[in-house]
Amino acid sequence: VSIGGDGIGPQVVDCAITVLEAVARKHSFTLRFTPVDWSSQRYLRLGSYLPEDWKEVLEAHDAAFFGAVGSREVPDTVSLHSFRIAMC
């Protein structure tokens, strides 16, 4: 699963995925990225960083590729406890 998140996170994740896909092609393996909108903007729209089935979404993948989280509009304590710590 790929989580762009906030700020520069989505751009960094997009560029990194481009590089990782090129490496995968060169070395004959495949990668599958499932982008999700788990961000402060989602929190502001819906009142939650994560959907109800977030654990199942993560369990269906081998790894989570994470960009960044944080917004001036959402206190750090909210993003910390509602998102980062919840996923650990």
Side-chain angles (χ1 to χ4, degrees):
V1 70
S2 63
I3 308 164
D6 300 316
I8 197 167
Q11 293 87 356
V12 170
V13 167
D14 288 346
C15 290
I17 287 173
T18 299
V19 171
L20 291 170
E21 288 173 336
V23 170
R25 278 191 304 278
K26 179 175 175 133
H27 295 283
S28 302
F29 64 91
T30 59
L31 295 170
R32 180 176 56 95
F33 295 94
T34 304
V36 295
D37 176 27
W38 299 352
S39 65
S40 293
Q41 290 305 311
R42 181 188 195 284
Y43 176 83
L44 292 169
R45 278 192 326 273
L46 303 174
S48 173
Y49 275 93
L50 304 169
E52 288 185 26
D53 66 344
W54 69 270
K55 286 182 185 179
E56 291 81 12
V57 171
L58 289 179
E59 288 171 352
H61 297 82
D62 293 324
F65 191 45
F66 178 70
V69 68
S71 168
R72 291 183 177 144
E73 299 169 358
V74 180
D76 287 341
T77 54
V78 173
S79 62
L80 177 66
H81 292 285
S82 300
F83 185 46
R84 291 181 275 184
I85 290 177
M87 285 182 35
C88 295

